[in-house]
Amino acid sequence: MPRNRAFSEPEYSAEYSADCSVTLPSDPGQAVGRTHEVTVRSSGCCLCLPRFMRLTFAPESLENLYQTYFRRQRHETMLVLVVFAALFDSYIIVMCSVVYTTDKLASVLVASVGLAADIILYLLCRFGLLPDRISRRVVPYALWVLIAAQIFCYLGLNYARFHQASDTVGWQAFFSFSFFLTLPLRLTPIVLITTVSCGVHTL
């Protein structure tokens, strides 16, 4: 089966286009077929994870092909995270407008700029207006920076006079969880950006 060009990545060599097949229990017509093992990763930075979370395909080319496919599928779910960010800005605008005072003006303006950025980013991703390399390598991190900036601006502007340890913790936890569900990145970068966000928020 030739590899679909939609799942090709420049950093992967041509060896990943090799035919791969498995014998499924529901396929009685194939008595013999080539199978690929699933092994447990015994090296790298994820050794602290449970055994079932370190399963990889063997050979490594098949694992890389799977990871490429997995990240490609997540490009659609990343749009959900952009919508979450837009809804967060809309929430800030509505809440600050309901009980409006002069000190809420900065929060409304920042949230409005963030909402406009979310809408632009959604349209660019939804209609494929960005180059593929930028969409894969830059947009996930740009979205993380945008969301982190929105949370910290809301924390700094809306709670400027009466900080408490629990301010915006719920939002931080929600978006940290959303990163794991929606960003088209490997596990290690997601863990790192979540750690940075939570660490800065704690400080």
Side-chain angles (χ1 to χ4, degrees):
M1 181 180 65
R3 184 183 57 165
N4 191 330
R5 288 188 61 191
F7 301 121
S8 63
E9 297 247 359
E11 62 267 29
Y12 297 150
S13 63
E15 66 172 325
Y16 301 147
S17 61
D19 292 342
C20 297
S21 63
V22 295
T23 301
L24 301 176
S26 59
D27 188 5
Q30 260 189 329
V32 179
R34 283 178 296 170
T35 61
H36 293 276
E37 297 178 349
V38 177
T39 62
V40 178
R41 189 186 301 273
S42 58
S43 62
C45 58
C46 298
L47 293 180
C48 59
L49 296 175
R51 179 185 177 90
F52 73 90
M53 296 183 66
R54 291 185 284 122
L55 296 176
T56 60
F57 289 105
E60 185 179 357
S61 59
L62 186 58
E63 173 67 18
N64 288 329
L65 186 63
Y66 168 74
Q67 292 292 342
T68 301
Y69 170 78
F70 180 74
R71 290 197 298 274
R72 289 283 182 171
Q73 292 295 98
R74 281 217 171 175
H75 274 286
E76 293 296 326
T77 62
M78 187 174 63
L79 295 178
V80 177
L81 185 60
V82 179
V83 173
F84 286 164
L87 292 176
F88 173 66
D89 286 319
S90 301
Y91 165 80
I92 296 175
I93 295 173
V94 171
M95 295 303 294
C96 291
S97 300
V98 169
V99 189
Y100 181 78
T101 56
T102 54
D103 60 327
K104 301 286 187 181
L105 179 60
S107 297
V108 173
L109 291 177
V110 171
S112 299
V113 172
L115 180 60
D118 292 331
I119 293 174
I120 293 173
L121 184 60
Y122 180 87
L123 294 176
L124 291 175
C125 295
R126 179 66 179 82
F127 296 104
L129 302 178
L130 294 173
D132 188 57
R133 179 175 291 271
I134 294 178
S135 177
R136 288 184 290 107
R137 295 177 177 268
V138 178
V139 172
Y141 295 101
L143 181 57
W144 164 63
V145 171
L146 178 61
I147 291 174
Q150 292 171 353
I151 294 175
F152 294 137
C153 287
Y154 179 57
L155 174 64
L157 296 174
N158 202 53
Y159 299 95
R161 298 180 181 178
F162 41 91
H163 278 299
Q164 295 182 6
S166 61
D167 293 340
T168 67
V169 167
W171 288 110
Q172 187 68 54
F174 170 76
F175 280 111
S176 296
F177 179 69
S178 299
F179 292 156
F180 284 91
L181 294 181
T182 59
L183 285 183
L185 299 172
R186 289 180 178 267
L187 180 61
T188 301
I190 295 179
V191 171
L192 289 177
I193 64 177
T194 303
T195 302
V196 170
S197 297
C198 295
V200 174
H201 186 272
T202 302
L203 293 175

